[in-house]
Amino acid sequence: QVELMETGGGSVEAGGSLRLSCVVSEYTYSDYCVGWFRQAPGKEREGVAAIDRDGEKAYADSVKGRFTVSKDNNKNIMYLQMSTLKPEDTAMYYCAARPFAQTTLDEDRYNYWGQGTQVTVSS
């Protein structure tokens, strides 16, 4: 069973930055596609960013130019650097993984999920 754990959420003012981390408990982590998703109150969960084993990245249009996804294969950690945050970025953020696959923001294609970390951006 693959386990994921997110950290780094918190409260920040608009225009600020946060970095989320996701630790993946899988020794073949480097072969995985890992992604970030978010869900705001009353809204459906949406894909934010993803990175696959080849380093190919994908971003939602709403975060392009502001968010950067990366991973450290030696430490089994994935990061989401969020800059120029907006109130509409407020949501619960989840990391997810799918083994041996190309990058995608389709949540139905992910097999393993973390518990989430809250990000709140005030205006």
PDB file of all heavy atoms in Angstrom, residues 32-67:
ATOM      1  N   TYR A  32       6.799   6.852 -10.637  1.00  0.00           N
ATOM      2  CA  TYR A  32       5.411   7.261 -10.512  1.00  0.00           C
ATOM      3  C   TYR A  32       5.158   8.617 -11.148  1.00  0.00           C
ATOM      4  O   TYR A  32       6.038   9.467 -11.221  1.00  0.00           O
ATOM      5  CB  TYR A  32       5.028   7.373  -9.040  1.00  0.00           C
ATOM      6  CG  TYR A  32       4.668   6.064  -8.383  1.00  0.00           C
ATOM      7  CD1 TYR A  32       5.518   4.967  -8.448  1.00  0.00           C
ATOM      8  CD2 TYR A  32       3.479   5.928  -7.681  1.00  0.00           C
ATOM      9  CE1 TYR A  32       5.186   3.775  -7.848  1.00  0.00           C
ATOM     10  CE2 TYR A  32       3.141   4.738  -7.070  1.00  0.00           C
ATOM     11  CZ  TYR A  32       4.002   3.669  -7.153  1.00  0.00           C
ATOM     12  OH  TYR A  32       3.668   2.485  -6.563  1.00  0.00           O
ATOM     13  N   CYS A  33       3.923   8.816 -11.565  1.00  0.00           N
ATOM     14  CA  CYS A  33       3.407  10.151 -11.832  1.00  0.00           C
ATOM     15  C   CYS A  33       2.771  10.626 -10.527  1.00  0.00           C
ATOM     16  O   CYS A  33       1.992   9.892  -9.914  1.00  0.00           O
ATOM     17  CB  CYS A  33       2.371  10.130 -12.951  1.00  0.00           C
ATOM     18  SG  CYS A  33       1.512  11.702 -13.155  1.00  0.00           S
ATOM     19  N   VAL A  34       3.109  11.815 -10.079  1.00  0.00           N
ATOM     20  CA  VAL A  34       2.537  12.360  -8.854  1.00  0.00           C
ATOM     21  C   VAL A  34       1.884  13.700  -9.160  1.00  0.00           C
ATOM     22  O   VAL A  34       2.389  14.465  -9.982  1.00  0.00           O
ATOM     23  CB  VAL A  34       3.609  12.514  -7.761  1.00  0.00           C
ATOM     24  CG1 VAL A  34       3.958  11.155  -7.176  1.00  0.00           C
ATOM     25  CG2 VAL A  34       4.869  13.171  -8.286  1.00  0.00           C
ATOM     26  N   GLY A  35       0.781  13.956  -8.510  1.00  0.00           N
ATOM     27  CA  GLY A  35       0.031  15.162  -8.819  1.00  0.00           C
ATOM     28  C   GLY A  35      -0.503  15.858  -7.592  1.00  0.00           C
ATOM     29  O   GLY A  35      -0.577  15.281  -6.505  1.00  0.00           O
ATOM     30  N   TRP A  36      -0.857  17.122  -7.788  1.00  0.00           N
ATOM     31  CA  TRP A  36      -1.513  17.927  -6.759  1.00  0.00           C
ATOM     32  C   TRP A  36      -2.912  18.277  -7.212  1.00  0.00           C
ATOM     33  O   TRP A  36      -3.122  18.673  -8.362  1.00  0.00           O
ATOM     34  CB  TRP A  36      -0.726  19.212  -6.494  1.00  0.00           C
ATOM     35  CG  TRP A  36       0.546  19.012  -5.749  1.00  0.00           C
ATOM     36  CD1 TRP A  36       1.802  18.941  -6.281  1.00  0.00           C
ATOM     37  CD2 TRP A  36       0.707  18.857  -4.348  1.00  0.00           C
ATOM     38  NE1 TRP A  36       2.725  18.740  -5.298  1.00  0.00           N
ATOM     39  CE2 TRP A  36       2.076  18.694  -4.083  1.00  0.00           C
ATOM     40  CE3 TRP A  36      -0.182  18.835  -3.262  1.00  0.00           C
ATOM     41  CZ2 TRP A  36       2.590  18.508  -2.804  1.00  0.00           C
ATOM     42  CZ3 TRP A  36       0.323  18.659  -1.983  1.00  0.00           C
ATOM     43  CH2 TRP A  36       1.696  18.496  -1.764  1.00  0.00           C
ATOM     44  N   PHE A  37      -3.854  18.141  -6.297  1.00  0.00           N
ATOM     45  CA  PHE A  37      -5.244  18.466  -6.551  1.00  0.00           C
ATOM     46  C   PHE A  37      -5.742  19.355  -5.419  1.00  0.00           C
ATOM     47  O   PHE A  37      -5.141  19.394  -4.345  1.00  0.00           O
ATOM     48  CB  PHE A  37      -6.086  17.183  -6.628  1.00  0.00           C
ATOM     49  CG  PHE A  37      -5.688  16.295  -7.766  1.00  0.00           C
ATOM     50  CD1 PHE A  37      -4.569  15.476  -7.676  1.00  0.00           C
ATOM     51  CD2 PHE A  37      -6.412  16.289  -8.945  1.00  0.00           C
ATOM     52  CE1 PHE A  37      -4.177  14.664  -8.739  1.00  0.00           C
ATOM     53  CE2 PHE A  37      -6.034  15.492 -10.008  1.00  0.00           C
ATOM     54  CZ  PHE A  37      -4.917  14.682  -9.905  1.00  0.00           C
ATOM     55  N   ARG A  38      -6.852  20.052  -5.657  1.00  0.00           N
ATOM     56  CA  ARG A  38      -7.407  20.877  -4.596  1.00  0.00           C
ATOM     57  C   ARG A  38      -8.919  20.873  -4.672  1.00  0.00           C
ATOM     58  O   ARG A  38      -9.503  20.661  -5.730  1.00  0.00           O
ATOM     59  CB  ARG A  38      -6.883  22.315  -4.687  1.00  0.00           C
ATOM     60  CG  ARG A  38      -7.334  23.088  -5.916  1.00  0.00           C
ATOM     61  CD  ARG A  38      -6.637  24.443  -5.960  1.00  0.00           C
ATOM     62  NE  ARG A  38      -7.065  25.229  -7.115  1.00  0.00           N
ATOM     63  CZ  ARG A  38      -6.531  26.397  -7.453  1.00  0.00           C
ATOM     64  NH1 ARG A  38      -5.531  26.915  -6.727  1.00  0.00           N
ATOM     65  NH2 ARG A  38      -6.978  27.056  -8.505  1.00  0.00           N
ATOM     66  N   GLN A  39      -9.522  21.095  -3.515  1.00  0.00           N
ATOM     67  CA  GLN A  39     -10.973  21.163  -3.439  1.00  0.00           C
ATOM     68  C   GLN A  39     -11.369  22.282  -2.503  1.00  0.00           C
ATOM     69  O   GLN A  39     -11.028  22.263  -1.320  1.00  0.00           O
ATOM     70  CB  GLN A  39     -11.559  19.841  -2.963  1.00  0.00           C
ATOM     71  CG  GLN A  39     -13.068  19.799  -3.022  1.00  0.00           C
ATOM     72  CD  GLN A  39     -13.622  18.405  -2.831  1.00  0.00           C
ATOM     73  OE1 GLN A  39     -12.986  17.540  -2.259  1.00  0.00           O
ATOM     74  NE2 GLN A  39     -14.825  18.180  -3.332  1.00  0.00           N
ATOM     75  N   ALA A  40     -12.079  23.244  -3.056  1.00  0.00           N
ATOM     76  CA  ALA A  40     -12.603  24.362  -2.272  1.00  0.00           C
ATOM     77  C   ALA A  40     -14.005  24.004  -1.779  1.00  0.00           C
ATOM     78  O   ALA A  40     -14.687  23.178  -2.392  1.00  0.00           O
ATOM     79  CB  ALA A  40     -12.628  25.619  -3.125  1.00  0.00           C
ATOM     80  N   PRO A  41     -14.462  24.619  -0.706  1.00  0.00           N
ATOM     81  CA  PRO A  41     -15.792  24.330  -0.183  1.00  0.00           C
ATOM     82  C   PRO A  41     -16.864  24.536  -1.244  1.00  0.00           C
ATOM     83  O   PRO A  41     -16.888  25.564  -1.923  1.00  0.00           O
ATOM     84  CB  PRO A  41     -15.947  25.334   0.961  1.00  0.00           C
ATOM     85  CG  PRO A  41     -14.558  25.609   1.403  1.00  0.00           C
ATOM     86  CD  PRO A  41     -13.731  25.582   0.153  1.00  0.00           C
ATOM     87  N   GLY A  42     -17.715  23.536  -1.412  1.00  0.00           N
ATOM     88  CA  GLY A  42     -18.805  23.642  -2.365  1.00  0.00           C
ATOM     89  C   GLY A  42     -18.410  23.432  -3.806  1.00  0.00           C
ATOM     90  O   GLY A  42     -19.250  23.577  -4.711  1.00  0.00           O
ATOM     91  N   LYS A  43     -17.146  23.077  -4.044  1.00  0.00           N
ATOM     92  CA  LYS A  43     -16.683  22.878  -5.417  1.00  0.00           C
ATOM     93  C   LYS A  43     -16.111  21.477  -5.589  1.00  0.00           C
ATOM     94  O   LYS A  43     -15.754  20.812  -4.624  1.00  0.00           O
ATOM     95  CB  LYS A  43     -15.623  23.918  -5.785  1.00  0.00           C
ATOM     96  CG  LYS A  43     -16.133  25.342  -5.809  1.00  0.00           C
ATOM     97  CD  LYS A  43     -15.083  26.295  -6.344  1.00  0.00           C
ATOM     98  CE  LYS A  43     -15.621  27.708  -6.444  1.00  0.00           C
ATOM     99  NZ  LYS A  43     -14.598  28.640  -6.994  1.00  0.00           N
ATOM    100  N   GLU A  44     -16.031  21.042  -6.824  1.00  0.00           N
ATOM    101  CA  GLU A  44     -15.440  19.750  -7.119  1.00  0.00           C
ATOM    102  C   GLU A  44     -13.914  19.832  -7.030  1.00  0.00           C
ATOM    103  O   GLU A  44     -13.314  20.890  -7.204  1.00  0.00           O
ATOM    104  CB  GLU A  44     -15.857  19.283  -8.511  1.00  0.00           C
ATOM    105  CG  GLU A  44     -17.337  18.997  -8.646  1.00  0.00           C
ATOM    106  CD  GLU A  44     -17.701  18.393  -9.981  1.00  0.00           C
ATOM    107  OE1 GLU A  44     -16.814  18.323 -10.856  1.00  0.00           O
ATOM    108  OE2 GLU A  44     -18.856  17.991 -10.157  1.00  0.00           O
ATOM    109  N   ARG A  45     -13.316  18.682  -6.769  1.00  0.00           N
ATOM    110  CA  ARG A  45     -11.859  18.631  -6.736  1.00  0.00           C
ATOM    111  C   ARG A  45     -11.311  18.841  -8.147  1.00  0.00           C
ATOM    112  O   ARG A  45     -11.875  18.331  -9.131  1.00  0.00           O
ATOM    113  CB  ARG A  45     -11.394  17.291  -6.173  1.00  0.00           C
ATOM    114  CG  ARG A  45      -9.912  17.227  -5.900  1.00  0.00           C
ATOM    115  CD  ARG A  45      -9.578  16.136  -4.897  1.00  0.00           C
ATOM    116  NE  ARG A  45     -10.042  14.828  -5.303  1.00  0.00           N
ATOM    117  CZ  ARG A  45      -9.983  13.758  -4.534  1.00  0.00           C
ATOM    118  NH1 ARG A  45      -9.483  13.843  -3.310  1.00  0.00           N
ATOM    119  NH2 ARG A  45     -10.421  12.604  -4.984  1.00  0.00           N
ATOM    120  N   GLU A  46     -10.210  19.580  -8.244  1.00  0.00           N
ATOM    121  CA  GLU A  46      -9.623  19.862  -9.553  1.00  0.00           C
ATOM    122  C   GLU A  46      -8.128  19.606  -9.530  1.00  0.00           C
ATOM    123  O   GLU A  46      -7.462  19.742  -8.490  1.00  0.00           O
ATOM    124  CB  GLU A  46      -9.879  21.322  -9.949  1.00  0.00           C
ATOM    125  CG  GLU A  46      -9.253  22.345  -9.020  1.00  0.00           C
ATOM    126  CD  GLU A  46      -9.424  23.765  -9.514  1.00  0.00           C
ATOM    127  OE1 GLU A  46      -9.838  23.969 -10.662  1.00  0.00           O
ATOM    128  OE2 GLU A  46      -9.115  24.691  -8.729  1.00  0.00           O
ATOM    129  N   GLY A  47      -7.605  19.240 -10.672  1.00  0.00           N
ATOM    130  CA  GLY A  47      -6.178  19.036 -10.811  1.00  0.00           C
ATOM    131  C   GLY A  47      -5.450  20.356 -10.859  1.00  0.00           C
ATOM    132  O   GLY A  47      -5.901  21.305 -11.500  1.00  0.00           O
ATOM    133  N   VAL A  48      -4.312  20.426 -10.186  1.00  0.00           N
ATOM    134  CA  VAL A  48      -3.527  21.656 -10.124  1.00  0.00           C
ATOM    135  C   VAL A  48      -2.225  21.505 -10.901  1.00  0.00           C
ATOM    136  O   VAL A  48      -1.897  22.334 -11.745  1.00  0.00           O
ATOM    137  CB  VAL A  48      -3.223  22.022  -8.658  1.00  0.00           C
ATOM    138  CG1 VAL A  48      -2.303  23.237  -8.588  1.00  0.00           C
ATOM    139  CG2 VAL A  48      -4.504  22.277  -7.888  1.00  0.00           C
ATOM    140  N   ALA A  49      -1.478  20.448 -10.598  1.00  0.00           N
ATOM    141  CA  ALA A  49      -0.189  20.230 -11.251  1.00  0.00           C
ATOM    142  C   ALA A  49       0.200  18.772 -11.108  1.00  0.00           C
ATOM    143  O   ALA A  49      -0.244  18.094 -10.180  1.00  0.00           O
ATOM    144  CB  ALA A  49       0.888  21.118 -10.629  1.00  0.00           C
ATOM    145  N   ALA A  50       1.025  18.309 -12.026  1.00  0.00           N
ATOM    146  CA  ALA A  50       1.491  16.926 -11.973  1.00  0.00           C
ATOM    147  C   ALA A  50       2.852  16.830 -12.628  1.00  0.00           C
ATOM    148  O   ALA A  50       3.216  17.660 -13.470  1.00  0.00           O
ATOM    149  CB  ALA A  50       0.497  15.993 -12.658  1.00  0.00           C
ATOM    150  N   ILE A  51       3.604  15.799 -12.227  1.00  0.00           N
ATOM    151  CA  ILE A  51       4.918  15.554 -12.812  1.00  0.00           C
ATOM    152  C   ILE A  51       5.127  14.051 -12.903  1.00  0.00           C
ATOM    153  O   ILE A  51       4.809  13.319 -11.963  1.00  0.00           O
ATOM    154  CB  ILE A  51       6.025  16.236 -11.968  1.00  0.00           C
ATOM    155  CG1 ILE A  51       7.396  16.038 -12.610  1.00  0.00           C
ATOM    156  CG2 ILE A  51       6.010  15.743 -10.528  1.00  0.00           C
ATOM    157  CD1 ILE A  51       8.487  16.912 -11.979  1.00  0.00           C
ATOM    158  N   ASP A  52       5.623  13.586 -14.042  1.00  0.00           N
ATOM    159  CA  ASP A  52       5.788  12.143 -14.198  1.00  0.00           C
ATOM    160  C   ASP A  52       7.255  11.744 -14.037  1.00  0.00           C
ATOM    161  O   ASP A  52       8.112  12.558 -13.706  1.00  0.00           O
ATOM    162  CB  ASP A  52       5.211  11.668 -15.519  1.00  0.00           C
ATOM    163  CG  ASP A  52       6.000  12.139 -16.742  1.00  0.00           C
ATOM    164  OD1 ASP A  52       7.129  12.637 -16.571  1.00  0.00           O
ATOM    165  OD2 ASP A  52       5.460  12.020 -17.855  1.00  0.00           O
ATOM    166  N   ARG A  53       7.541  10.483 -14.262  1.00  0.00           N
ATOM    167  CA  ARG A  53       8.872   9.955 -13.997  1.00  0.00           C
ATOM    168  C   ARG A  53       9.930  10.544 -14.914  1.00  0.00           C
ATOM    169  O   ARG A  53      11.119  10.531 -14.581  1.00  0.00           O
ATOM    170  CB  ARG A  53       8.867   8.440 -14.117  1.00  0.00           C
ATOM    171  CG  ARG A  53       8.468   7.910 -15.483  1.00  0.00           C
ATOM    172  CD  ARG A  53       8.494   6.403 -15.500  1.00  0.00           C
ATOM    173  NE  ARG A  53       8.007   5.839 -16.754  1.00  0.00           N
ATOM    174  CZ  ARG A  53       8.004   4.542 -17.014  1.00  0.00           C
ATOM    175  NH1 ARG A  53       8.446   3.682 -16.115  1.00  0.00           N
ATOM    176  NH2 ARG A  53       7.548   4.091 -18.160  1.00  0.00           N
ATOM    177  N   ASP A  54       9.515  11.055 -16.060  1.00  0.00           N
ATOM    178  CA  ASP A  54      10.458  11.677 -16.984  1.00  0.00           C
ATOM    179  C   ASP A  54      10.611  13.170 -16.734  1.00  0.00           C
ATOM    180  O   ASP A  54      11.332  13.846 -17.467  1.00  0.00           O
ATOM    181  CB  ASP A  54       9.997  11.435 -18.420  1.00  0.00           C
ATOM    182  CG  ASP A  54      10.005   9.964 -18.774  1.00  0.00           C
ATOM    183  OD1 ASP A  54      10.922   9.251 -18.312  1.00  0.00           O
ATOM    184  OD2 ASP A  54       9.093   9.522 -19.499  1.00  0.00           O
ATOM    185  N   GLY A  55       9.892  13.677 -15.741  1.00  0.00           N
ATOM    186  CA  GLY A  55       9.963  15.100 -15.447  1.00  0.00           C
ATOM    187  C   GLY A  55       8.999  15.948 -16.244  1.00  0.00           C
ATOM    188  O   GLY A  55       9.033  17.179 -16.165  1.00  0.00           O
ATOM    189  N   GLU A  56       8.152  15.290 -17.031  1.00  0.00           N
ATOM    190  CA  GLU A  56       7.134  16.022 -17.784  1.00  0.00           C
ATOM    191  C   GLU A  56       6.115  16.602 -16.808  1.00  0.00           C
ATOM    192  O   GLU A  56       5.623  15.898 -15.928  1.00  0.00           O
ATOM    193  CB  GLU A  56       6.440  15.082 -18.769  1.00  0.00           C
ATOM    194  CG  GLU A  56       5.456  15.749 -19.695  1.00  0.00           C
ATOM    195  CD  GLU A  56       6.125  16.564 -20.785  1.00  0.00           C
ATOM    196  OE1 GLU A  56       7.320  16.315 -21.056  1.00  0.00           O
ATOM    197  OE2 GLU A  56       5.461  17.427 -21.360  1.00  0.00           O
ATOM    198  N   LYS A  57       5.800  17.881 -16.986  1.00  0.00           N
ATOM    199  CA  LYS A  57       4.905  18.555 -16.050  1.00  0.00           C
ATOM    200  C   LYS A  57       3.619  18.997 -16.732  1.00  0.00           C
ATOM    201  O   LYS A  57       3.594  19.244 -17.937  1.00  0.00           O
ATOM    202  CB  LYS A  57       5.600  19.778 -15.439  1.00  0.00           C
ATOM    203  CG  LYS A  57       6.884  19.451 -14.695  1.00  0.00           C
ATOM    204  CD  LYS A  57       7.553  20.708 -14.184  1.00  0.00           C
ATOM    205  CE  LYS A  57       8.884  20.363 -13.505  1.00  0.00           C
ATOM    206  NZ  LYS A  57       9.561  21.584 -12.973  1.00  0.00           N
ATOM    207  N   ALA A  58       2.583  19.116 -15.927  1.00  0.00           N
ATOM    208  CA  ALA A  58       1.306  19.642 -16.402  1.00  0.00           C
ATOM    209  C   ALA A  58       0.746  20.569 -15.344  1.00  0.00           C
ATOM    210  O   ALA A  58       0.901  20.318 -14.148  1.00  0.00           O
ATOM    211  CB  ALA A  58       0.324  18.504 -16.677  1.00  0.00           C
ATOM    212  N   TYR A  59       0.111  21.643 -15.793  1.00  0.00           N
ATOM    213  CA  TYR A  59      -0.464  22.617 -14.877  1.00  0.00           C
ATOM    214  C   TYR A  59      -1.869  22.990 -15.321  1.00  0.00           C
ATOM    215  O   TYR A  59      -2.160  23.064 -16.520  1.00  0.00           O
ATOM    216  CB  TYR A  59       0.380  23.894 -14.838  1.00  0.00           C
ATOM    217  CG  TYR A  59       1.757  23.737 -14.260  1.00  0.00           C
ATOM    218  CD1 TYR A  59       2.861  23.566 -15.092  1.00  0.00           C
ATOM    219  CD2 TYR A  59       1.955  23.771 -12.892  1.00  0.00           C
ATOM    220  CE1 TYR A  59       4.131  23.420 -14.568  1.00  0.00           C
ATOM    221  CE2 TYR A  59       3.234  23.629 -12.353  1.00  0.00           C
ATOM    222  CZ  TYR A  59       4.311  23.458 -13.197  1.00  0.00           C
ATOM    223  OH  TYR A  59       5.572  23.324 -12.674  1.00  0.00           O
ATOM    224  N   ALA A  60      -2.716  23.281 -14.351  1.00  0.00           N
ATOM    225  CA  ALA A  60      -4.002  23.869 -14.668  1.00  0.00           C
ATOM    226  C   ALA A  60      -3.772  25.303 -15.138  1.00  0.00           C
ATOM    227  O   ALA A  60      -2.840  25.979 -14.669  1.00  0.00           O
ATOM    228  CB  ALA A  60      -4.895  23.865 -13.426  1.00  0.00           C
ATOM    229  N   ASP A  61      -4.614  25.775 -16.039  1.00  0.00           N
ATOM    230  CA  ASP A  61      -4.455  27.131 -16.560  1.00  0.00           C
ATOM    231  C   ASP A  61      -4.489  28.176 -15.445  1.00  0.00           C
ATOM    232  O   ASP A  61      -3.806  29.195 -15.522  1.00  0.00           O
ATOM    233  CB  ASP A  61      -5.560  27.421 -17.577  1.00  0.00           C
ATOM    234  CG  ASP A  61      -5.373  26.653 -18.871  1.00  0.00           C
ATOM    235  OD1 ASP A  61      -4.248  26.175 -19.136  1.00  0.00           O
ATOM    236  OD2 ASP A  61      -6.353  26.536 -19.622  1.00  0.00           O
ATOM    237  N   SER A  62      -5.265  27.901 -14.423  1.00  0.00           N
ATOM    238  CA  SER A  62      -5.448  28.882 -13.355  1.00  0.00           C
ATOM    239  C   SER A  62      -4.184  29.094 -12.511  1.00  0.00           C
ATOM    240  O   SER A  62      -4.099  30.082 -11.773  1.00  0.00           O
ATOM    241  CB  SER A  62      -6.596  28.446 -12.440  1.00  0.00           C
ATOM    242  OG  SER A  62      -6.329  27.174 -11.877  1.00  0.00           O
ATOM    243  N   VAL A  63      -3.215  28.180 -12.613  1.00  0.00           N
ATOM    244  CA  VAL A  63      -2.016  28.316 -11.782  1.00  0.00           C
ATOM    245  C   VAL A  63      -0.736  28.468 -12.603  1.00  0.00           C
ATOM    246  O   VAL A  63       0.344  28.641 -12.024  1.00  0.00           O
ATOM    247  CB  VAL A  63      -1.867  27.117 -10.815  1.00  0.00           C
ATOM    248  CG1 VAL A  63      -3.129  26.939  -9.985  1.00  0.00           C
ATOM    249  CG2 VAL A  63      -1.510  25.841 -11.558  1.00  0.00           C
ATOM    250  N   LYS A  64      -0.828  28.393 -13.906  1.00  0.00           N
ATOM    251  CA  LYS A  64       0.369  28.519 -14.742  1.00  0.00           C
ATOM    252  C   LYS A  64       1.068  29.843 -14.488  1.00  0.00           C
ATOM    253  O   LYS A  64       0.432  30.891 -14.410  1.00  0.00           O
ATOM    254  CB  LYS A  64      -0.012  28.397 -16.217  1.00  0.00           C
ATOM    255  CG  LYS A  64      -0.285  26.976 -16.679  1.00  0.00           C
ATOM    256  CD  LYS A  64      -0.636  26.936 -18.155  1.00  0.00           C
ATOM    257  CE  LYS A  64      -0.912  25.505 -18.600  1.00  0.00           C
ATOM    258  NZ  LYS A  64      -1.327  25.440 -20.038  1.00  0.00           N
ATOM    259  N   GLY A  65       2.370  29.760 -14.352  1.00  0.00           N
ATOM    260  CA  GLY A  65       3.157  30.951 -14.088  1.00  0.00           C
ATOM    261  C   GLY A  65       3.242  31.325 -12.613  1.00  0.00           C
ATOM    262  O   GLY A  65       4.039  32.194 -12.246  1.00  0.00           O
ATOM    263  N   ARG A  66       2.418  30.682 -11.775  1.00  0.00           N
ATOM    264  CA  ARG A  66       2.432  30.990 -10.341  1.00  0.00           C
ATOM    265  C   ARG A  66       2.859  29.791  -9.496  1.00  0.00           C
ATOM    266  O   ARG A  66       3.482  29.971  -8.446  1.00  0.00           O
ATOM    267  CB  ARG A  66       1.040  31.443  -9.888  1.00  0.00           C
ATOM    268  CG  ARG A  66       0.520  32.679 -10.584  1.00  0.00           C
ATOM    269  CD  ARG A  66      -0.752  33.191  -9.942  1.00  0.00           C
ATOM    270  NE  ARG A  66      -1.846  32.215 -10.011  1.00  0.00           N
ATOM    271  CZ  ARG A  66      -2.474  31.738  -8.934  1.00  0.00           C
ATOM    272  NH1 ARG A  66      -2.116  32.118  -7.726  1.00  0.00           N
ATOM    273  NH2 ARG A  66      -3.481  30.876  -9.075  1.00  0.00           N
ATOM    274  N   PHE A  67       2.517  28.609  -9.938  1.00  0.00           N
ATOM    275  CA  PHE A  67       2.832  27.384  -9.194  1.00  0.00           C
ATOM    276  C   PHE A  67       3.898  26.595  -9.946  1.00  0.00           C
ATOM    277  O   PHE A  67       3.910  26.571 -11.182  1.00  0.00           O
ATOM    278  CB  PHE A  67       1.609  26.500  -9.035  1.00  0.00           C
ATOM    279  CG  PHE A  67       0.542  27.032  -8.105  1.00  0.00           C
ATOM    280  CD1 PHE A  67       0.578  28.342  -7.627  1.00  0.00           C
ATOM    281  CD2 PHE A  67      -0.502  26.220  -7.718  1.00  0.00           C
ATOM    282  CE1 PHE A  67      -0.405  28.827  -6.779  1.00  0.00           C
ATOM    283  CE2 PHE A  67      -1.496  26.690  -6.866  1.00  0.00           C
ATOM    284  CZ  PHE A  67      -1.441  27.993  -6.403  1.00  0.00           C
TER     285      PHE A  67
END
